Amino acid sequence: MGQAMSADQSGLTASEVDSWRVSLPCTRLEAEAIDAADDLVIDAVLMTTEEAEDDRERWRLDAYMEHEPDAAMLAAIVALVPSAAGTAPTITPLVEQDWVALSQEGLEPIREGRFVVHTSAHPTEAPDGGRALLIDAGRAFGTGHHATTSGCLAMLDGLADRRFDRIIDVGTGTGVLAFAAAFLWPEATIVATDIDPAAVEVTHVNAEANGIEDIALLVADGALHDDITQRGPYDLVIANILAGPLVSMAPELAAIAAPGGAIVLAGLLETQRSQVVEAFQACGCSLEAVDRRGDWSILRLAAGATRFVPANPPDPKGRDGWALDL
């Protein structure tokens, strides 16, 4: 069991306790893997924080939940950080104002090119000629603070001089990349999809908060949705997911790309780059740019000169939580 603090010990009454926090030390690699994962079946909001700048061994995982954690919940959280084996998690009761403040802890504004991404706790002004995006931490991945998301923002910013008429953001999370695309290419038709209905709901809420309209939102498994096919082909495909699903989805993502279209991929470690690139090269795509950020890489590829047509049906292997519904 963890080092639990009861409501009495914290000076709170049971009626005042609104939520609970479980904390454990972790490494940077573990923190980045947790932030990038979209298949964690844990009924808690997970936050990772760098405790010592540029020290990969000194990070912290905080898990926030509505109810006092039981043994199963603690075991699931401990399993996320193998480096903390033998360390008892710290369990802390919180009142409502603690939850609001602590859920945004450490999320200072992130600036990438024309964009600044901030939370409600850290409001800021947009850069000249740029756009400020309000993205609060919550039920969906993608606040802009993870290297993969911020790297995608930089990659999109670098494409600003190109014209795109149809754009799709696969695995949209909080919608931040779709919103950035809407700013850079306001005349484009934009589709944002996610396999998680909660993420699509969060994206809708965030779009309203940022005054962004006319983005089509779909719950979909990768590109396997009739509406996605009918709205394509797309001259810009964005997929910030994980290496396994990217490899598995390469044929379907290449198939919805317009000839010569740009494909931005993220969610992969540098050690996984070659297998992702090879999967897309097999579909006629070519690598054009790499942005390496720590252990993570963001890729930009070009679709082939002719539109790719998959020879085989979708392969469910490797989708890592992207439940196939064929």
Side-chain angles (χ1 to χ4, degrees):
M1 292 294 291
Q3 300 171 350
M5 178 186 294
S6 69
D8 290 342
Q9 290 173 318
S10 67
L12 303 173
T13 65
S15 62
E16 291 177 313
V17 175
D18 177 74
S19 55
W20 294 78
R21 179 182 64 195
V22 176
S23 302
L24 274 169
C26 65
T27 67
R28 187 184 72 179
L29 189 60
E30 288 169 339
E32 291 175 337
I34 291 167
D35 289 345
D38 59 4
D39 59 347
L40 298 179
V41 187
I42 294 180
D43 188 18
V45 174
L46 304 178
M47 304 288 293
T48 59
T49 305
E50 185 180 25
E51 294 198 302
E53 187 175 357
D54 297 326
D55 184 345
R56 70 173 56 237
E57 301 305 321
R58 294 188 60 189
W59 283 65
R60 187 182 74 249
L61 167 64
D62 293 313
Y64 296 89
M65 61 213 69
E66 294 182 354
H67 305 290
E68 185 173 3
D70 58 16
M73 172 64 79
L74 292 174
I77 295 170
V78 169
L80 297 175
V81 286
S83 66
T87 302
T90 300
I91 306 168
T92 309
L94 306 170
V95 296
E96 184 173 3
Q97 55 265 39
D98 290 329
W99 164 249
V100 173
L102 291 172
S103 67
Q104 307 301 327
E105 184 181 76
L107 297 184
E108 297 288 343
I110 295 296
R111 300 181 185 276
E112 287 290 347
R114 294 169 175 80
F115 302 103
V116 58
V117 183
H118 66 95
T119 65
S120 298
H122 301 283
T124 189
E125 296 295 324
D128 291 342
R131 183 70 155 84
L133 295 171
L134 169 62
I135 306 290
D136 279 327
R139 294 177 295 161
F141 165 67
T143 61
H145 291 75
H146 190 272
T148 59
T149 310
S150 58
C152 283
L153 286 171
M155 194 70 79
L156 295 180
D157 187 69
L159 292 169
D161 291 338
R162 290 179 57 173
R163 173 177 173 173
F164 298 114
D165 296 318
R166 291 186 178 89
I167 300 170
I168 186 166
D169 178 17
V170 179
T172 194
T174 58
V176 62
L177 300 179
F179 302 160
F183 173 76
L184 292 172
W185 300 284
E187 303 302 319
T189 298
I190 300 177
V191 179
T193 80
D194 205 286
I195 194 172
D196 184 1
V200 173
E201 179 185 343
V202 167
T203 297
H204 175 73
V205 171
N206 287 341
E208 290 187 338
N210 286 278
I212 295 172
E213 301 176 350
D214 299 327
I215 291 180
L217 300 178
L218 297 173
V219 177
D221 173 19
L224 302 178
H225 194 294
D226 288 344
D227 283 353
I228 292 176
T229 303
Q230 292 168 5
R231 292 170 186 267
Y234 303 89
D235 39 19
L236 174 57
V237 177
I238 308 163
N240 180 12
I241 313 175
L242 288 172
L246 287 175
V247 170
S248 179
M249 295 177 187
E252 67 200 66
L253 292 176
I256 63 171
I263 302 174
V264 174
L265 306 177
L268 58 135
L269 295 166
E270 170 63 18
T271 56
Q272 300 166 324
R273 187 215 297 188
S274 61
Q275 68 188 84
V276 173
V277 171
E278 289 171 5
F280 279 83
Q281 287 176 335
C283 302
C285 304
S286 57
L287 181 64
E288 291 192 328
V290 179
D291 182 355
R292 183 172 179 181
R293 299 193 172 208
D295 297 317
W296 302 89
S297 287
I298 298 87
L299 313 179
R300 190 182 83 238
L301 301 97
T306 58
R307 190 169 176 190
F308 177 74
V309 179
N312 300 305
D315 182 1
K317 295 180 181 178
R319 293 177 86 93
D320 291 351
W322 286 70
L324 216 57
D325 184 17
L326 300 176

